[in-house]
Amino acid sequence: MKFLFCGSGASEGIPALFCSCEICGKARSRGGKEMRSRTAYQFGESVRIDFGPDLFGQQNRYGLRLDRLEHLFITHSHKDHFTPLNFIYRRPQYVPLEKTLYLHAGEDIIEQTEKVLKENGSDFAECLITPVESVFFRSEEIDAEGEKMTVTPLPSDHLPAGKTRIYEIAYREKRVLVGTDSGIYPNETWNYFKGRHYDLAVMDATSGILGLRQVHMGRECLVETVKRLRQMGVYDDCTLVIANHFSHNGKMNHDDLEAYYGPRNIHVGFDGLEIDFSGHGRLVL
Ligand SMILES: [Zn+2]
Ligand SMILES: [Zn+2]
Ligand SMILES: [Zn+2]
């Protein structure tokens, strides 16, 4: 199974819509890793985290078969992660559906989805969606293409307060932390980390040189947080740490990010980055 970075940008993407700044100008002229759609992740074809405005483009770019999607996890309600209108295209007049989609999310997301479906004359049953309320620290065991995957939602430091989550994902012998859209984690999450170890950790790097520590992380905050996790043994030399979720307002292009994070043994995320979970031993890029 492969873990795919479907997107690596913050809300406005890079180059940002309507933007004339230097970062976006460089991104336009260089292309490639500089082009960042809104952050979302997939494990294989059946498990996805977040469902933002770039779903259609990501489907086409990576050849995703969304008809095979079975488990959708939503981190929080921000518009770059949750576009409930996407669900409307599961209506029978658009597509013949075979598979139920399990929507694992907080109560607020489930309510919003229901509302948007209703406004469009539909409901969960018609769109073959089964909502599953996600409760902090309560692990869910799912079937990921015939193998067991355990997903545990943890509180993040983000908005709306108390309603946003990051995820710990266990698959075979590997443990992954999907930690984007968070400042320094809440105490209860730090307590949960004690005695744990991750093979892969994706960290929030939204605000670049701006130095944010709450809601999102700036680069110094990310480095400090990684250092603390390394001291705790939660990350070690085998942990692949990847910074992700970048805004042009953080004022760093991809080469600036690599120059800053590389010497600190932190990799830089980009759209299309893929990590293979099928082998044994440590994960590699
Ligand atoms: Zn975001
Ligand atoms: Zn810009
Ligand atoms: Zn957000």
Side-chain angles (χ1 to χ4, degrees), residues 12-230:
E12 64 281 29
I14 299 179
L17 298 167
F18 313 110
C19 189
S20 60
C21 84
E22 198 186 327
I23 299 296
C24 292
K26 277 188 192 160
R28 284 188 194 96
S29 62
R30 293 172 180 172
K33 292 179 181 176
E34 297 281 1
M35 312 300 272
R36 301 187 186 278
S37 66
R38 278 60 158 240
T39 295
Y41 309 94
Q42 270 206 212
F43 282 91
E45 293 189 301
S46 65
V47 182
R48 185 177 174 100
I49 299 176
D50 285 345
F51 206 54
D54 293 324
L55 181 71
F56 181 78
Q58 291 170 350
Q59 167 199 256
N60 299 341
R61 176 166 177 195
Y62 308 117
L64 302 175
R65 289 284 305 265
L66 295 174
D67 56 309
R68 295 176 183 164
L69 189 63
E70 289 186 83
H71 296 280
L72 175 62
F73 293 83
I74 305 289
T75 55
H76 64 300
S77 60
H78 282 164
K79 56 197 175 298
D80 49 327
H81 300 267
F82 177 56
T83 304
L85 264 182
N86 288 330
F87 291 113
I88 298 301
Y89 299 103
R90 291 179 63 83
R91 295 195 70 187
Q93 64 258 50
Y94 296 116
V95 287
L97 286 176
E98 285 170 19
K99 279 196 159 115
T100 294
L101 179 66
Y102 292 89
L103 169 62
H104 306 265
E107 216 178 1
D108 56 329
I109 300 285
I110 292 172
E111 275 169 19
Q112 264 194 66
T113 305
E114 199 169 23
K115 185 168 165 262
V116 171
L117 289 172
K118 197 173 171 195
E119 282 165 5
N120 285 274
S122 188
D123 57 23
F124 284 130
E126 188 190 58
C127 293
L128 276 188
I129 296 167
T130 300
V132 182
E133 198 189 329
S134 160
V135 178
F136 290 129
F137 303 109
R138 191 178 75 190
S139 298
E140 287 180 53
E141 242 179 51
I142 60 169
D143 182 314
E145 290 155 42
E147 291 196 57
K148 190 176 92 172
M149 184 177 274
T150 307
V151 184
T152 310
L154 310 173
S156 63
D157 167 29
H158 199 62
L159 296 169
K163 292 183 176 171
T164 65
R165 58 209 74 222
I166 54 175
Y167 295 101
E168 176 191 276
I169 295 160
Y171 175 76
R172 295 189 179 175
E173 76 273 28
K174 298 290 194 293
R175 299 284 176 281
V176 180
L177 180 70
V178 178
T180 36
D181 281 77
S182 183
I184 303 169
Y185 307 111
N187 284 338
E188 50 198 321
T189 300
W190 281 105
N191 287 336
Y192 181 86
F193 287 152
K194 282 179 195 156
R196 296 190 177 263
H197 173 260
Y198 297 108
D199 300 281
L200 168 66
V202 189
M203 309 280 293
D204 189 285
T206 309
S207 79
I209 65 167
L210 298 188
L212 278 194
R213 303 175 66 80
Q214 289 178 319
V215 181
H216 282 300
M217 292 191 198
R219 60 184 184 181
E220 293 83 5
C221 175
L222 193 161
V223 168
E224 268 172 45
T225 307
V226 169
K227 191 174 166 195
R228 183 171 164 190
L229 286 157
R230 282 176 178 153

